[in-house]
Amino acid sequence: MAYEEVGAGARQGFFSQPGIVGTGSIGNTAMITLFGLKNCDSCRKAAAYVKAHDWPHRFHDLRDDGLSAAVLDRWIRSLGWELLVNRRSTTWRNLPDAAKDGLDSVSAKQLLLDHPTLVKRPVITLGDLVVVGFAEPQQAALADAMASNGQR
């Protein structure tokens, strides 16, 4: 199955769910990268799922390892900045109102670079597939991409 961006404004993907974009093409590389926080329940759930399937992966802790502008640019191009900002996080609630008001693509990018824990988690990349969150549609997208590479 192919996962592609639907619509120019609100970016959505397969199953018309936000948070999934890409063709599912992973080329020669089948390494999953899980971006998140070690103490995040959703990130732990995603890591356990990937381990249970014995898929090659690595975990990138946003707090310990940081977030590069290049990686963030890719996510923003793929998903849009609105989907990446976790407005339910403690970090968001602790920000001054001035930082939250009038957020746009430029200020959101800088805010996410300054506070990587603001990223909605987990973000999972595999080739050109980018998935945010770990609900059923995101799990299906990841499983389909791995199956297309001959891994179940």
Side-chain angles (χ1 to χ4, degrees), residues 85-134:
V85 177
N86 185 355
R87 290 184 168 95
R88 293 175 30 192
S89 72
T90 302
T91 304
W92 176 263
R93 288 191 301 269
N94 290 334
L95 287 174
D97 288 339
K100 297 186 264 187
D101 294 338
L103 208 56
D104 61 14
S105 61
V106 173
S107 59
K109 177 183 173 184
Q110 191 57 54
L111 199 58
L112 291 168
L113 288 172
D114 292 344
H115 305 279
T117 57
L118 275 175
V119 172
K120 196 174 286 185
R121 306 174 297 271
V123 176
I124 303 168
T125 61
L126 175 63
D128 70 352
L129 181 69
V130 181
V131 175
V132 176
F134 206 64

Side-chain angles (χ1 to χ4, degrees), residues 35 60 67-77 84 123 125:
F35 293 86
H60 181 101
L67 178 62
S68 75
V71 168
L72 184 57
D73 283 339
R74 176 181 176 219
W75 296 350
I76 290 172
R77 277 192 314 275
L84 292 168
V123 176
T125 61

Side-chain angles (χ1 to χ4, degrees), residues 22-78:
T23 63
S25 171
I26 56 180
N28 295 336
T29 162
M31 175 66 73
I32 295 168
T33 304
L34 298 165
F35 293 86
L37 300 174
K38 288 180 235 172
N39 61 344
C40 169
D41 288 339
S42 295
C43 297
R44 283 189 239 178
K45 179 181 172 184
Y49 181 87
V50 168
K51 286 177 189 173
H53 285 84
D54 200 28
W55 293 333
H57 67 282
R58 70 180 194 87
F59 188 85
H60 181 101
D61 190 282
L62 293 167
R63 183 175 285 125
D64 295 341
D65 304 325
L67 178 62
S68 75
V71 168
L72 184 57
D73 283 339
R74 176 181 176 219
W75 296 350
I76 290 172
R77 277 192 314 275
S78 297

